[in-house]
């Protein structure tokens, strides 16, 4: 399978040509927002613009590009150390008016607003590409809250050291109405598409400890004592690490890299069979995941109910196997019901699932969060332990893909024993809350190799999945959290409501259109090798969201999706009863997620 940075040599030359000749290098360096020097085999880059929280202003972005371009041609430099002044490593892109040199040529040529946006975003996209493909080993000492492009710079490092206290990576793009960021190539290639989805669709603030689990941070300076001491210790450890690496051999450094063509551990996202089939007999041409969803819905033979009956109890023929209801405010709940003793996945269940998924895809505007319940019965062998012979593989492919591409964040809530297709479905969730007593069995998945490759492997890696299927051990929820499939292990009976409140608060802050488009964009970018055309596509995508930047540059601007009480996402237990549009105020009740949908979705 192709890697992210295939053909990096040729692509790098194209990018250098696109950027043009650089004027500054280590010999004539004069930038006051970035300090840059080379001492023997080690180069030092220090972000030094504390006034902006070391944001990527045009000046800082250009300076970093100058340094990185030079280092691409300096084989005598073996290690590069990245540090920062102040209390922030990099607070992301700077949207305040400034030097417009990056768009001057486009403006002179009479370019459209979209073309101007592309011209403005391409320099950052090129910088992150060059950072990832630098031949040197990159060590970084980070600090504070990093956001946006700052996260991608961190993800482009081979070894990251951070104080445990007051260090976090915030993925706030969706709260700004942005469906993507040109710099995401660094994050996606480091942790994969599915883990990136988990971060961005819920606007997560990833703590230092969580970043360590994800592989974005590699070493923590323990909390305790003054923050200044911890920051100094991280910088000293980075300097120590750089000298240690510089004294080693080239092969030793390459073996330790975690980025670029030498060290990237994640593979490109496989293209599900349902997507290839949706393109017709030729199965060639560029991938378009939004069109694939539309084509599958049109051809799968399931239409869902009329709009007036959607998300209600009316005209629903699958009540004994699949339950779909609206609950709370802007929340839909989907339940798949096991039947003892085998709890296998049969055609009636598949039909109900496809009807529900088609209906949810048509419910944009009514739904902003989907909760999916999977629970095995005490008397059965596991949740969907096997797949019925009456279930066509093509329909299963379509169902799993439509589930994976629902245009809202999806939270899976699982209890009991997950087996077979139950485990596969868990891999499509954006977040999964697993009961403390939940278990996961992989032994029965040997007969679903293609489905596993399309949906489970991107979550667990091919090597881990192969080991789990071959050895067949029963895994606990805690063990699956360590492997990245489970987001949180909770006591569902006592903790579910409080967890859902936090999830809903996060989703309320995100723009619905950003979430919907972000999934398709991430999968489209995540299935192709990075090159200049992909970078242009990423820049074009971001350019279409120019109005959303107001939420960043204008502190008093509140976007429409988060401006009114009736726009919020509220779990069922916080709504006493339906309220008129515009007058909805959350209040605590004893209503549980297991109850009827008394709280209407308000739009």
């Amino acid at each position: 399978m192709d890697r992210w940075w295939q053909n990096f040599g040729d692509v790098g030359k194209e990018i250098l040509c696109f950027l043009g000749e650089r004027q500054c290098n280590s010999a004539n360096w004069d930038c006051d927002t970035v300090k840059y020097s080379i001492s023997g085999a080690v180069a030092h880059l220090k972000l030094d613009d504390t006034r902006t929280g070391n944001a990527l202003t045009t000046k800082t972005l250009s300076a970093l590009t100058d340094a990185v371009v030079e280092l691409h041609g300096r084989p005598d430099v073996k290690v590069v150390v990245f540090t920062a002044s102040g209390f922030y490593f990099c607070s992301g892109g700077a949207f305040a008016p400034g030097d417009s040199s990056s768009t001057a040529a486009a403006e002179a040529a009479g370019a459209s607003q979209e073309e101007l946006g592309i011209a403005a975003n391409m320099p950052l996209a090129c910088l992150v590409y060059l950072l990832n493909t630098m031949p040197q080993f990159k060590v970084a000492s980070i600090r504070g809250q990093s956001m946006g492009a700052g996260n991608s710079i961190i993800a482009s490092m081979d070894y990251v050291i951070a104080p445990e206290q007051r260090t976090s990576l915030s993925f706030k793009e969706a709260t700004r109405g942005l469906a993507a960021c040109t710099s995401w190539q660094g994050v996606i290639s480091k942790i994969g598409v599915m883990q990136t989805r988990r971060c961005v669709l819920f606007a997560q603030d990833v703590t230092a400890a969580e970043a360590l689990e994800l592989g974005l941070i590699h070493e923590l300076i323990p909390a305790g004592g003054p923050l200044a001491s911890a920051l100094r210790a991280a910088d000293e450890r980075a300097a120590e690490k750089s000298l240690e690496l510089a004294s080693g051999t080239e092969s030793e450094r390459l073996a330790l890299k975690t980025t670029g063509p030498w060290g990237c551990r994640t593979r490109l996202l496989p293209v599900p069979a349902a997507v290839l089939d949706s393109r017709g007999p030729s199965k060639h041409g560029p991938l378009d995941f939004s069109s694939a969803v539309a084509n599958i819905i049109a051809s799968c033979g399931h239409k869902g109910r009329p709009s007036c009956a959607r998300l209600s109890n009316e005209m629903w023929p699958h009540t004994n196997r699949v339950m779909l209801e609206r609950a709370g405010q802007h929340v839909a709940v989907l339940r798949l019901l096991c039947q003892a003793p085998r709890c296998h996945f049969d055609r009636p269940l598949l039909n109900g699932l496809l009807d529900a998924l088609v209906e949810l895809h048509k419910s944009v505007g009514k739904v902003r969060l989907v909760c999916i319940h999977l629970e095995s019965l005490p008397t059965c062998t596991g949740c969907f332990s096997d797949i019925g012979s009456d279930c066509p593989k093509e329909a299963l492919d379509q169902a799993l893909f439509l589930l994976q591409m629902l245009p809202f964040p999806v939270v899976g809530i699982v209890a009991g024993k997950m087996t077979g297709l139950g485990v596969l479905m868990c891999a499509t969730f954006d977040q999964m809350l697993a009961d403390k007593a939940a278990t996961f069995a992989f032994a029965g998945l040997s007969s679903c190799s293609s489905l596993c490759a399309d949906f489970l492997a991107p979550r667990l890696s091919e090597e881990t999945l192969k080991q789990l299927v071959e050895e067949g051990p029963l895994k606990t929820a805690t063990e699956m959290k360590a492997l990245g499939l489970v987001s949180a292990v909770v006591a569902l009976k006592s903790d579910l409501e409080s967890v859902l409140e936090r999830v809903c608060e996060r989703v309320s802050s995100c723009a619905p259109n950003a979430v919907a488009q972000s999934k398709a964009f991430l999968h489209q970018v995540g299935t192709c090798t990075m090159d200049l055309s992909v970078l242009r596509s990423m820049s074009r995508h971001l350019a279409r969201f120019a109005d959303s930047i107001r939420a960043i540059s204008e502190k008093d601007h509140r976007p429409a999706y988060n401006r009114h009480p009736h726009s919020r996402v509220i779990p069922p237990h916080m709504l006493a009863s339906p309220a008129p549009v515009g007058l909805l105020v959350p209040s605590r009740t004893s209503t549980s997620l297991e109850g009827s949908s008394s709280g209407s979705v308000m739009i």
Side-chain angles (χ1 to χ4, degrees):
M1 188 182 297
D2 290 341
R3 294 278 185 174
W4 293 93
W5 312 107
Q6 191 170 345
N7 304 321
F8 71 96
D10 292 337
V11 176
K13 290 177 182 178
E14 288 183 52
I15 288 176
L16 293 176
C17 182
F18 170 81
L19 291 172
E21 185 177 354
R22 312 306 296 181
Q23 300 301 315
C24 292
N25 55 46
S26 56
N28 64 357
W29 195 257
D30 65 352
C31 179
D32 60 354
T33 61
V34 178
K35 293 179 179 178
Y36 173 44
S37 62
I38 297 175
S39 177
V42 180
H44 297 269
L45 275 162
K46 185 172 188 176
L47 301 177
D48 192 23
D49 188 9
T50 55
R51 180 182 58 85
T52 66
N54 294 317
L56 292 179
T57 61
T58 301
K59 184 177 183 180
T60 296
L61 177 61
S62 179
L64 282 174
T65 303
D66 286 340
V68 170
V69 167
E70 181 188 10
L71 289 169
H72 266 269
R74 291 290 300 265
D76 57 311
V77 177
K78 309 301 182 185
V79 182
V80 183
V81 183
F82 291 77
T83 57
S85 300
F87 293 101
Y88 299 93
F89 177 74
C90 179
S91 57
F95 296 94
D99 181 13
S100 59
S101 59
S102 62
T103 59
E107 286 180 340
S112 65
Q113 285 299 314
E114 182 174 291
E115 290 168 334
L116 289 172
I118 295 171
N121 292 318
M122 275 296 288
L124 174 58
C126 292
L127 171 64
V128 176
Y129 187 96
L130 293 176
L131 274 172
N132 274 274
T133 56
M134 283 176 67
Q136 293 88 0
F137 195 98
K138 296 156 291 183
V139 179
S141 167
I142 69 170
R143 55 187 62 195
Q145 182 186 39
S146 295
M147 294 182 285
N151 294 337
S152 273
I153 291 177
I154 292 169
S156 303
M157 300 293 113
D158 295 305
Y159 196 86
V160 178
I161 302 162
E164 189 171 14
Q165 62 191 109
R166 291 181 61 180
T167 300
S168 65
L169 283 71
S170 296
F171 293 85
K172 298 295 188 184
E173 288 82 357
T175 67
R176 318 300 197 197
L178 302 176
C181 180
T182 54
S183 65
W184 275 1
Q185 54 186 301
V187 175
I188 297 171
S189 62
K190 177 62 75 70
I191 64 176
V193 169
M194 299 307 293
Q195 293 288 14
T196 303
R197 273 175 50 155
R198 182 180 295 180
C199 293
V200 303
L201 297 182
F202 296 90
Q204 284 193 328
D205 292 309
V206 179
T207 66
E210 291 168 338
L212 186 68
E213 290 181 2
L214 283 171
L216 292 169
I217 290 176
H218 304 89
E219 182 178 337
L220 291 178
I221 303 299
L227 177 61
S229 298
L231 298 179
R232 186 166 53 253
D235 286 351
E236 291 172 353
R237 176 67 183 123
E240 177 186 323
K241 186 73 176 179
S242 68
L243 295 176
E244 172 190 321
L245 289 161
S247 65
T249 65
E250 187 71 14
S251 60
E252 289 173 338
R253 285 190 294 273
L254 290 179
L256 293 172
K257 281 181 74 68
T258 61
T259 64
W262 306 275
C264 181
R265 303 292 192 264
T266 62
R267 292 181 178 271
L268 291 175
L269 195 68
V271 181
V275 178
L276 296 175
D277 293 340
S278 72
R279 296 199 294 177
S282 66
K283 298 184 181 179
H284 294 301
L287 291 169
D288 185 334
F289 281 81
S290 296
S291 296
V293 169
N295 292 338
I296 290 170
I297 290 175
S299 63
C300 70
H302 295 262
K303 305 299 181 185
R305 292 171 289 178
S307 58
C308 60
R310 287 178 198 154
L311 305 175
S312 73
N313 294 324
E314 299 177 9
M315 302 172 62
W316 185 251
H318 310 289
T319 52
N320 62 329
R321 303 306 307 277
V322 178
M323 298 291 293
L324 175 63
E325 58 187 356
R326 55 186 180 181
Q329 180 167 276
H330 295 305
V331 179
V333 176
L334 176 63
R335 299 176 188 281
L336 304 184
L337 308 178
C338 288
Q339 288 188 342
R342 292 183 61 192
C343 293
H344 69 296
F345 194 93
D346 55 17
R347 188 56 187 264
L349 190 56
L350 177 59
N351 287 339
L353 177 60
L354 279 168
D355 275 342
L357 292 172
V358 168
E359 191 162 303
L360 285 168
H361 273 278
K362 295 180 178 180
S363 297
V364 174
K366 293 183 178 181
V367 175
R368 291 181 62 184
L369 175 69
V370 176
C371 296
I372 300 180
H373 287 257
L374 296 179
E375 183 174 4
S376 66
L377 299 173
T379 56
C380 71
T381 55
C383 186
F384 312 137
S385 54
D386 56 25
I387 300 172
S389 58
D390 58 346
C391 291
K393 180 183 179 300
E394 180 183 2
L396 283 172
D397 283 334
Q398 292 174 338
L400 287 171
F401 177 69
L402 291 177
L403 180 55
Q404 188 179 59
M405 299 304 294
L406 282 172
F408 342 94
V410 176
V411 175
I413 301 168
V414 304
K417 183 179 180 181
M418 295 296 110
T419 57
L421 197 67
V423 175
L424 276 166
M425 292 181 69
C426 290
T428 69
F429 301 151
D430 298 310
Q431 280 197 13
M432 181 161 63
L433 311 177
D435 187 69
K436 290 180 178 180
T439 57
F440 299 80
F442 293 79
L445 288 170
S446 55
S447 61
C448 310
S449 57
S450 62
L451 293 175
C452 287
D454 287 347
F455 298 99
L456 259 178
R459 283 282 193 186
L460 300 174
S461 83
E462 292 178 0
E463 296 77 12
T464 300
L465 178 58
K466 181 180 179 182
Q467 182 180 1
L468 290 171
V469 172
E470 289 179 351
E471 298 179 3
L474 195 65
K475 291 290 185 179
T476 65
T478 301
E479 289 173 321
M480 293 314 300
K481 183 177 184 298
L483 290 175
L485 187 62
V486 171
S487 307
V489 180
V490 299
L492 290 182
K493 289 185 179 180
S494 59
D495 298 338
L496 180 59
E497 290 186 353
S498 61
V499 172
L500 284 179
E501 286 178 28
R502 293 194 294 272
V503 169
C504 287
E505 193 65 31
R506 291 262 179 207
V507 176
S508 293
S509 70
C510 298
N513 67 313
V515 170
Q517 294 183 44
S518 188
K519 286 191 179 184
F521 177 81
L522 282 169
H523 282 253
Q524 195 159 334
V525 171
T527 52
C528 54
T529 300
M530 290 292 168
D531 60 24
L532 206 57
S533 67
V534 176
L535 300 188
R536 284 198 181 97
S537 176
M538 296 172 75
S539 298
R540 179 179 297 108
H541 191 83
L542 183 58
R544 293 170 181 164
F545 293 85
D547 288 343
S548 301
I549 302 300
R550 286 185 61 196
I552 306 174
S553 57
E554 298 179 21
K555 296 186 181 301
D556 294 331
H557 176 70
R558 192 163 187 178
Y561 56 82
N562 196 23
R563 192 176 299 157
H564 308 291
H566 63 267
S567 300
R568 294 183 57 203
V569 180
I570 302 174
H573 65 276
M574 292 183 69
L575 285 185
S577 61
V581 172
L583 298 178
L584 193 57
V585 178
S587 60
R588 289 221 173 243
T589 76
S590 59
T591 305
S592 69
L593 203 61
E594 285 71 24
S596 63
S597 175
S598 60
S600 298
V601 176
M602 307 297 293
I603 58 173

